[in-house]
Every structure is written in C-alpha cells, then in structure tokens.
Amino acid sequence: DMSKIICNKYSDSIVEMILNKPERRNALDADMMDELNARLLSADADNDIRVVIIKGSGEHFCSGADLKMAPEGGYSIDERRAMLSRYNRVVKTILTMEKPVLSVVRGYAVGGGMSLALCCDIIFAAEDAKFYGNFVKAGIVPEMGAMMILPQLIGLNRAKELWFTGETVDGKRACELGFVNHAYPSESPDEEVYAFARTLAGMPKIAMGITKRVTNSTVLAGLDALLECEQQASPFCGSTEEFKKRREAFLNKKK
C-alpha cells in the first residue's frame, strides 16, 4: 500500500487513521499531511463515523518532519513556510472538526509528531512512550500550534521548561504533567482505547461536537494568529547560523 495513511473503519462508527511510513518512524511530509487532512475532512462529513483515532504503524507514533526529504542545502524560507502551512491545515482541521479525535502514542512522538498528538482531543500513551519536543534544541520554534496548546495543558512555565531544555518525557510522566489523558502499560493492548472510543461513539453527537468546537475556539482563541506567527518565525529560525550548525551536526552524526 503506497498510501501514507491507512484507514481502518470499524463497525461501531470508529475509524482509525494510521501514519504509514514505519521504515522512517512515520516521519511527516507535506503529502502525508495533505492526505491526512483530506481523510479527516471526509470522516467529519460521514454520518456513519463518530470517532477518529490517529496512531502510527509499527513501534512508533511519529518522528517529526522527515529530514530525509529535505534538499541538499535544506529548505528555503519560502519552502519551509509553504510546507508548514500544509502541516498547520491538519491542526486546524483536528481542532475545528466536530467529531472527537483521539491520538494513541507508542514509542517516539518527536517534534511535529508530538504537536500532532497534542492537538487531538484525548491523548492515550504507553507508559514508556517518549515525547520529545526538540524544536528549540534544533534551533527552531515549536510548530503546529504547540506553543499555545502545551501551556494550556500543563501551565506556562512547565511548558517553557520542556521547550527550553528539549527533555524527553515518557508517557507516565506526561500523564502526571497533564498533557496525556491516559497512560497505559505498554503490553496492554488497545482495548482500553477502543472501549473509550465506543463510549464516545455512543454519546449525543451534536452536543459533543458543539462542546468540542466551542471549547477549542474559546480556549485557543488566538490560534490562527499563532499559526500565522509560527509560519513566519520558524522558517526565519531555519535560516539562522545556529540552526544550520545544528542541522550539520545532526546529519553528520547520522552518517
């Protein structure tokens, strides 16, 4: 299957969307995000679907933006900006669609992969999952709405500490901090997630949809402005010397 998103529809009105690039730890690229966006919009319009689950194929959720896709000298500011707007479209869709979206994180959720998990309505994670918000460490700023969403979930200074240090937080700690709703032992199957999804699927959907949208649009009232700022700021940071040094070191370490 060449598709970068696999969709499994279950009889009980639940659809699962799986990021499908396991050989790259499901690293994000713009085409993959366009496909995810289209599938989310069609799920939201489908009367037979009540709940969406986003997860990664294989052992990891998502390793962030796919650096392998970058041209030799890296992306230009304009290319980064155009790409980020395609990523941010998914964020807006998840936050404004009526149906609840759950994310299920195993293994790594790095950079944009962490942001993608964070913008879902309910987040499940294996206790040993690894959330790694390595943006500042790499020389850019947190992307995909995360600068607004994480502080709402865990408080201002805790969020800044995570961004400034780029520390890795496991699923259990993420649950204690409050940015994961439920952490479960890694050997436990997804049963708990499906049971939860079935509960939501049985709820009055109009009331739930309005509750979701009103809550998101009030609590995240500045989101559009933030995404606009981010689409200027992150590409700018990507053109700085410190970013280029970090990128070189990273690519050389890989070799």
Side-chain angles (χ1 to χ4, degrees):
D1 183 10
M2 289 313 292
S3 186
K4 289 178 178 177
I5 306 292
I6 295 173
C7 276
N8 297 328
K9 195 170 168 188
Y10 296 99
S11 55
D12 34 22
S13 319
I14 297 164
V15 68
E16 191 177 65
M17 299 187 185
I18 304 172
L19 308 176
N20 184 36
K21 257 166 66 176
E23 72 291 349
R24 304 275 307 124
R25 289 179 171 176
N26 306 313
L28 304 174
D29 62 69
D31 290 343
M32 182 190 220
M33 293 301 265
D34 289 344
E35 187 183 343
L36 179 58
N37 195 54
R39 289 179 182 272
L40 288 164
L41 290 171
S42 77
D44 204 35
D46 183 339
N47 287 327
D48 295 333
I49 292 173
R50 304 291 285 269
V51 182
V52 176
I53 298 172
I54 298 178
K55 53 202 292 198
S57 61
E59 288 167 40
H60 298 283
F61 179 70
C62 174
S63 60
D66 196 337
L67 297 174
K68 275 247 173 83
M69 312 273 288
E72 189 53 47
Y75 293 106
S76 70
I77 289 187
D78 283 349
E79 285 169 333
R80 283 183 68 91
R81 193 174 288 159
M83 206 160 58
L84 199 47
S85 78
R86 289 163 74 184
Y87 284 46
N88 284 342
R89 209 172 293 151
V90 174
V91 172
K92 283 193 186 182
T93 296
I94 291 173
L95 291 168
T96 57
M97 62 190 274
E98 300 218 328
K99 316 244 160 112
V101 181
L102 318 184
S103 51
V104 182
V105 177
R106 304 199 148 89
Y108 277 101
V110 180
M114 177 171 170
S115 303
L116 178 62
L118 286 175
C119 64
C120 296
D121 300 302
I122 311 284
I123 306 165
F124 286 83
E127 286 175 351
D128 62 358
K130 299 274 187 288
F131 292 90
Y132 181 36
N134 63 337
F135 300 96
V136 171
K137 216 174 186 177
I140 54 173
V141 301
E143 294 176 339
M144 295 169 64
M147 282 190 281
M148 179 176 274
I149 296 169
L150 189 66
Q152 285 290 355
L153 296 174
I154 69 174
L156 192 56
N157 290 8
R158 284 187 189 278
K160 285 184 288 191
E161 184 180 344
L162 287 194
W163 299 142
F164 295 170
T165 61
E167 71 170 285
T168 303
V169 179
D170 68 25
K172 193 169 187 291
R173 173 95 177 111
C175 199
E176 288 160 8
L177 283 171
F179 71 85
V180 160
N181 295 68
H182 302 280
Y184 57 95
S186 37
E187 65 279 358
S188 101
D190 293 327
E191 243 345 277
E192 179 175 343
V193 178
Y194 296 114
F196 186 91
R198 281 192 293 272
T199 301
L200 291 194
M203 291 292 170
K205 75 171 184 181
I206 294 171
M208 187 163 58
I210 293 173
T211 300
K212 167 180 168 165
R213 293 183 68 170
V214 171
T215 304
N216 281 352
S217 65
T218 50
V219 173
L220 305 174
L223 184 79
D224 284 352
L226 168 78
L227 295 179
E228 197 47 56
C229 290
E230 184 190 292
Q231 279 162 218
Q232 309 303 323
S234 214
F236 164 74
C237 291
S239 71
T240 59
E241 281 312 305
E242 55 179 17
F243 172 81
K244 288 174 183 158
K245 281 198 188 104
R246 289 286 168 133
R247 185 174 177 272
E248 275 312 299
F250 176 80
L251 294 172
N252 291 332
K253 193 181 76 191
K254 279 275 163 131
K255 280 167 199 161

